[in-house]
Amino acid sequence: MNQETEIETAAPVNPGPEWWRGAIIYQIYPRSFQDSNGDGIGDLLGIAQRLPYVASLGVDAVWISPFFTSPMKDFGYDVSDYYDVDPMFGSLADFDHLIRAAHEHHLKVFIDLVLSHTSDEHPWFRESRSSRDNPKANWYVWADAKPDGTPPNNWLSIFGGSSWQWDTTRCQYYLHNFLQEQPDLNFHEPEVQKTLLDVARFWLVRGVDGFRLDTVNFYTHDVQLRDNPPLPVEERNPITAPAVNPYTWQNHIYDKTRPENLVFLRKMRDLMDEYGAAAVGEVGDDQRGLEILGEYTTGDELLNMSYAFELLADHAPSAGYITKVTEHLHRVAGLGWACWAFSNHDVPRHGTRWKLTEAGYRCYLTLMMCLRGSVCLYQGEELGLPEAEIAFEDLQDPYGKRMWPAFKGRDGCRTPMVWDASNQNGGFSSGHPWLPVSHDHLNRAVATQEHDPSAVLHHYRRAMSFRRNHPALRKGALTDMSADGTILRFMREHDGEQIFCAFNLSGEPAVTDMPDGRWHQIGIELGSAGPAPDGRLHLGPWQPALALRAKH
């Protein structure tokens, strides 16, 4: 490791009870991070092997996508045993080793808890579907057909079609907001809530520091099973599902985000507080995402933070768009806490999605490090990886297979991490990878970029170090945001530290004014501009300007 890398392994900057506030969280998709045994699938020991690299980035925590026992119809988001590790990923002993190794590297560990639904192969569901009067008969959402045999209402699945599946044993429909192999648990049943809290406690006892709560606003449903109303065409905002999916045609007011959900989240928060743990909730909603973020994170009784979708949109966020989002967030969630991301395991990588040049890619990363909230980075993002092209015959994602070719699924962002360009598998596996390694990715491998001081990888390290060194950026207030043409401007302030931030979010030069006062240029290592002799800021294409107010 070079000297810059060693500096970044320092102890956390927020060691207290609010360690999560302003944290940088690195998402690991375990199937695709590092294979330790040559079977072509990443695993827990592979993750542990690569933790020195993760720590070298300067992140505060890792979020590990599901590794629980599963038939893998949705690659681990269909859990058949919450209390064990799927053999393809290793064992509970491997997980315990991973926790110890992460903590030795001063990394917190979030695990992905999928509580809204299970696999249809879970013993709970097998018992529930066996009859209408067994002890777990009410653990899932069952309903009779309409008199004509059709589903109970018009609710739709995110993966396409009705969210109701007929079961020939109970002669009833069961609810599935996702795949039909993912039946929804019934959170109106007290025993379900109690058991899921026991699941969370099991992993807290094993040493996890927090949870990423998958589809957290899907937990409860309307007990009256009322139809969702249609959504006018002009109000459709396809974020949670592609535009070709009619799921986006409904206003989902009855199949998710019900007020009863808050009761369970308070119980979850009480449990997490016992262990000093934190949770980031994934709120999936096309119309009310930021409002729900506010409802779920304001105060100290619910979630610590919520995963916001606004910067996961298909279009590159302009200065005006970010200003609009921030103003809306301040109105509806000013006392809440967001967690921002540009990429994850469910959307095309943002460099491709937004058609960014390398300069644009670097500028957006610097901007993210200056926004108020916590941050999620997705594995390979720090290498500038583009979306991989996957041939239909190599496709694994059931979502893509169902919607092809209008929607090609999520495999393009899930291909294996590239560590070394010396072999066609990128150092990921000695066996045949579960998804092909993109040839476009090999020349961006970690080993190649480590030896290139100008590489994107080092820009990520510098930007994260910059954030860690300034409390105003980690947890301070954000004020005075505005769009001056293509330039986004705002202030960050905390405990006497005030930082002015400006970003030219375009490929053309732009000019703006410095705020009144005496300012010192900072962030030079990130390409930050300083004021010209005329006192104005002349920003090149995709250039930031960062300045610290001088103390009197």
Side-chain angles (χ1 to χ4, degrees), residues 195-247:
T195 302
L196 293 177
L197 291 171
D198 288 343
V199 167
R201 185 181 295 277
F202 173 84
W203 293 102
L204 290 168
V205 169
R206 294 198 94 87
V208 304
D209 303 289
F211 301 115
R212 184 266 192 181
L213 296 175
D214 183 67
T215 61
V216 71
N217 59 317
F218 284 75
Y219 289 173
T220 55
H221 65 284
D222 174 46
V223 292
Q224 299 179 51
L225 303 182
R226 286 171 284 187
D227 281 349
N228 283 327
L231 195 66
V233 174
E234 64 273 13
E235 295 182 22
R236 294 175 191 169
N237 181 31
I239 296 176
T240 56
V244 295
N245 187 344
Y247 183 86

Side-chain angles (χ1 to χ4, degrees), residues 378-392:
Y378 181 50
Q379 65 181 51
E381 176 181 336
E382 75 279 10
L383 304 178
L385 297 186
E387 181 80 352
E389 287 292 329
I390 305 294
F392 181 79

Side-chain angles (χ1 to χ4, degrees), residues 231 235-237 250-252 285-289 291 328:
L231 195 66
E235 295 182 22
R236 294 175 191 169
N237 181 31
Q250 290 186 358
N251 189 359
H252 293 271
D285 193 87
D286 293 346
Q287 280 73 47
R288 296 187 57 248
E291 287 91 337
H328 188 192

Side-chain angles (χ1 to χ4, degrees), residues 278-438:
V280 52
E282 180 200 25
V283 169
D285 193 87
D286 293 346
Q287 280 73 47
R288 296 187 57 248
L290 294 180
E291 287 91 337
I292 299 167
L293 186 156
E295 293 169 7
Y296 282 20
T297 66
T298 298
D300 56 5
E301 295 183 345
L302 300 166
L303 301 178
N304 305 84
M305 49 189 165
S306 179
Y307 198 66
F309 275 64
E310 278 64 26
L311 299 185
L312 290 167
D314 287 341
H315 55 83
S318 65
Y321 175 80
I322 294 175
T323 300
K324 180 179 178 181
V325 167
T326 301
E327 290 173 348
H328 188 192
L329 179 69
H330 182 74
R331 285 197 307 273
V332 300
L335 299 178
W337 196 258
C339 189
W340 301 108
F342 293 154
S343 288
N344 66 20
H345 64 294
D346 280 335
V347 297
R349 290 184 177 274
H350 70 276
T352 299
R353 201 168 75 242
W354 298 345
K355 301 178 176 61
L356 295 178
T357 63
E358 184 170 306
Y361 198 88
R362 292 172 185 247
C363 182
Y364 274 113
L365 182 275
T366 306
L367 166 61
M368 176 177 274
M369 292 300 118
C370 296
L371 291 177
R372 181 178 184 268
S374 299
V375 170
C376 281
L377 304 177
Y378 181 50
Q379 65 181 51
E381 176 181 336
E382 75 279 10
L383 304 178
L385 297 186
E387 181 80 352
E389 287 292 329
I390 305 294
F392 181 79
E393 56 268 24
D394 292 324
L395 211 62
Q396 302 291 326
D397 184 11
Y399 201 0
K401 291 178 181 179
R402 177 173 294 185
M403 297 265 173
W404 183 277
F407 174 64
K408 297 182 179 181
R410 301 163 294 177
D411 289 336
C413 65
R414 296 178 175 184
T415 56
M417 184 75 170
V418 282
W419 301 99
D420 189 335
S422 64
N423 65 77
Q424 65 181 8
N425 292 341
F428 164 72
S429 175
S430 60
H432 183 70
W434 76 285
L435 279 173
V437 174
S438 169

